[in-house]
Every structure is written in C-alpha cells, then in structure tokens.
C-alpha cells in the first residue's frame, strides 16, 4: 500500500536546460511530473529506477519515506498547468515529456486522476508541438479517447521485453496487458511509441512482436547508455545484485535495433531515440 502525502506545488512544468531528454535531434523543452516518488517503485523496475536518486525525490522525501512505499502528490498540478499554458508565449515550440521521474498511470491515478485532469487542460490547446505520455501501465487505456483528441499527443509505452518469466522483469500478464494497450491505443488513432528501455533479455520473436504492434516507432535503450552514468547507477542498484547476466553488454539491444530497422520500423537509440520525434511543423511541410 503506497502512502500518499499531498503538497501544493508552485510550478508544474520544468524547463529542460540539459540532460537526457535534450540530447537528441529534437529535444524536449519541458517535463511534467505530478508526483515525487512512484507507486511502481516497489515492483521490478523500482530496483533499477534512476529517479530514486534524483533531487526531486531525495530533497522532498521525509524521514522514513522509501522509494515505492510513499508518493508525494502535487495536488494542484492541473491548475498550475492551466495557468502556465495560458501565459506561455511559445506554446508552438513546447515539447513536454510526462513524466520523467514518475509514472503518470501508476495505481494512484485511479483515485486522483491528476493525469486525466492535465489531459483535459491540454485538450484546450491545439498549438503545442509535442506531449509524450510515458508509462508502463495499461491503465492509460482509460484515457484513450482523451489522448486521441489531443493532436500533438503521443503514448510512449515501456516494454523492456516480451518475456514474462524473468525474475527481474514484468510478469507475463503485464506483458500481455501492455501489448493489448498498445494495440487498442493505436487503433484509437493515437500515435504510439514503444520504449524498450532498458532492453532486457528477450525472445527471438520480439522484433516481429514490436513491428506488428501498431506502434509507429520504437526506442531501444540499454542500462549503460540510458542510466545517465554509463552504468554506474545500475551497478549500485538492487537489480545488479540479482541479475545473473551481462547487463553491461549492448549486443542484444543492438541486434534488436538492427532487426527492427530491417523490418522497416522507425527506430531510435537511447537519448537520440527518445528525443527523435519530428516537430509537427516539419511533418506538415
Ligand atoms: S515506473 Fe518508472 S519512475 Fe516508476 S519506479 Fe518504475 S522506472 Fe521508476
């Protein structure tokens, strides 16, 4: 059971002045995270989650609050978003990543609906360049109609593997549910990207599974290129203690990348792949 502490925040859009999301060809300008902490922190991905070491969590948590056990909710996030978008002078250049340090469809969203209320704010504007909704949760399908109605929104679903029996990966049921969410969102007209991030061991069918998923593009990433410290954060994580394979090797991820490219998929690598969605103006030219 995740403990919830609510706070009134002063800002919700965080300007990106450097870092992972600015390193690609088409950098993000802002991130949006309505929580510090993540309700998925106690499942497998919490064992290697880099956000557990970020200031957003470390400087805001209170004594005794542990990653995955407690989440700090910015309960006024939708109101702040409405105010910040209303006064933004350069909305057409805004490329927003929701969320970089939490999951916008973690279980708490069922109760608090902060992501849904933020989507309702975005829906009032048609002039932003990009909104990425980055999640690993099939709960996103609850909002498929809302997302489909926002012309600059993309769903970006994490799918690290198609195997459901890895001791340090998603369950078979969760893999199935995510695949189903990807398909149904693509069928609802949503632009869908899959992030194989970080790439875990996978079956020989994975490239075909991804190529036939309905997604428009795939990003492949590794622990070493993606953790922001060339693997050091991962090496110090509980995951590294448990994973009995060479997680530092990028060979499997490179093989998957090549297999996707050979199938005609748009595929990007690590930071360049994340920040690789073309500006809308460019697409329209
Ligand atoms: S869902 Fe994302 S932010 Fe949340 S614990 Fe897992 S990796 Fe971290």
């Amino acid at each position: 059971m995740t403990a919830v502490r609510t706070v009134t925040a002063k800002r919700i859009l965080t300007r990106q002045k450097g870092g992972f999301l600015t390193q690609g060809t088409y950098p993000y300008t802002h991130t949006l995270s309505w929580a510090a902490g993540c309700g998925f922190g106690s499942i497998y991905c919490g064992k290697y989650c880099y956000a557990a070491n970020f200031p957003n969590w470390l400087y805001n948590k209170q004594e005794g609050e542990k990653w995955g056990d407690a989440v700090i909710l910015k309960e006024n996030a939708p109101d702040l978003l409405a105010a910040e978008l209303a006064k933004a002078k350069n909305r057409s250049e805004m490329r927003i990543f929701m969320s970089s340090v939490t999951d916008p469809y973690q279980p708490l969203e069922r109760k608090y609906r902060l992501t849904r209320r933020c989507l309702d704010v975005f829906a009032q504007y048609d002039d932003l360049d990009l909104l990425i909704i980055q999640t690993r949760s099939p709960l996103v399908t609850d909002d498929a109609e809302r997302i489909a109605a926002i012309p600059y929104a993309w769903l970006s679903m994490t799918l690290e593997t198609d195997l459901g029996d890895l001791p340090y990966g998603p369950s078979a049921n969760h893999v199935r549910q995510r695949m189903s969410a990807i398909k149904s969102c693509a069928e609802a007209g949503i632009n869908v990207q899959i992030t194989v991030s970080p790439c875990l061991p996978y079956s020989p069918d994975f490239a075909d599974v991804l190529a036939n998923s309905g997604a428009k593009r795939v990003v492949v990433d590794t622990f070493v290129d993606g953790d922001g410290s060339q693997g050091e954060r991962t090496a110090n994580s509980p995951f590294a203690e448990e994973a009995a394979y060479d997680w530092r090797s990028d060979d499997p991820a490179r093989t998957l990348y090549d297999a996707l490219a050979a199938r005609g998929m748009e595929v990007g690598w690590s930071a360049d792949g994340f920040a690789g969605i073309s500006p809308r103006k460019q697409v329209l030219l």
Side-chain angles (χ1 to χ4, degrees):
M1 185 76 172
T2 307
V4 176
R5 184 158 57 86
T6 55
V7 295
T8 303
K10 293 193 175 132
R11 281 185 303 278
I12 197 62
L13 293 173
T14 304
R15 182 98 206 169
Q16 297 299 285
K17 296 175 180 158
F20 190 78
L21 293 173
T22 67
Q23 289 167 10
T25 309
Y26 305 116
Y28 291 89
T29 59
H30 298 81
T31 56
L32 192 173
S33 299
W34 49 250
C38 181
F40 285 139
S42 53
I43 66 170
Y44 72 95
C45 60
K47 292 185 177 170
Y48 55 73
C49 178
Y50 323 132
N53 299 309
F54 288 174
N56 165 276
W57 169 249
L58 294 178
Y59 296 159
N60 288 302
K61 75 184 179 86
Q62 292 181 347
E63 201 174 333
E65 288 181 334
K66 289 192 183 141
W67 183 255
D69 293 343
V71 172
I72 305 160
L73 290 189
K74 300 171 187 173
E75 60 180 354
N76 58 334
D79 296 336
L80 288 172
L81 179 64
E84 290 174 35
L85 288 184
K87 71 178 182 199
K89 294 193 175 79
N90 57 347
R91 270 200 311 269
S92 66
E93 290 167 21
M94 291 178 90
R95 296 170 64 84
I96 300 175
F97 193 92
M98 178 172 80
S99 301
S100 56
V101 294
T102 192
D103 192 307
Y105 286 100
Q106 60 191 281
L108 289 173
E109 171 62 8
R110 276 190 207 283
K111 177 174 178 188
Y112 292 90
R113 293 299 183 189
L114 288 167
T115 294
R116 176 172 292 180
R117 287 161 52 207
C118 285
L119 292 177
D120 288 342
V121 174
F122 281 117
Q124 294 169 32
Y125 297 94
D126 64 3
D127 55 352
L128 281 78
D129 190 43
L130 178 64
L131 169 66
I132 279 279
I133 299 148
Q134 177 70 51
T135 184
R136 68 185 61 241
S137 173
L139 182 60
V140 66
T141 54
D142 282 9
D143 286 342
E145 276 185 32
R146 280 177 163 81
I147 297 168
I150 299 172
Y152 47 87
W154 280 67
L155 165 63
S156 182
M157 177 68 83
T158 304
L159 190 68
E160 310 94 328
T161 176
D162 60 335
L163 297 174
D165 56 358
L166 298 171
Y168 40 77
S171 68
N173 194 34
H174 209 172
V175 170
R176 267 195 303 275
Q177 287 179 339
R178 280 192 240 175
M179 284 305 305
S180 165
I182 288 164
K183 271 198 167 46
S184 65
C185 284
E187 284 167 9
I190 298 171
N191 291 319
V192 180
Q193 156 179 290
I194 297 175
T195 52
V196 184
S197 174
C199 183
L200 296 176
Y202 55 84
S203 87
D205 299 329
F206 196 25
D208 286 327
V209 167
L210 294 169
N212 296 321
S213 64
K216 291 195 165 159
R217 70 192 304 270
V218 177
V219 179
V220 181
D221 201 2
T222 65
F223 286 106
V224 172
D225 284 351
D227 80 352
S229 65
Q230 290 297 297
E232 277 320 292
R233 282 196 183 120
T234 307
N236 293 317
S237 72
F239 163 82
E241 284 173 30
E242 289 178 25
Y245 77 102
D246 181 12
W247 55 265
R248 284 185 181 276
S249 169
D250 70 0
D251 290 348
R254 292 280 177 200
T255 300
L256 181 65
Y257 179 101
D258 291 344
L260 289 166
R263 284 160 175 77
M265 278 301 283
E266 181 183 333
V267 56
W269 182 264
S270 195
D272 200 43
F274 271 93
I277 296 176
S278 308
R280 292 169 76 205
K281 279 186 214 151
Q282 188 165 317
V283 172
L284 293 174
L285 283 175

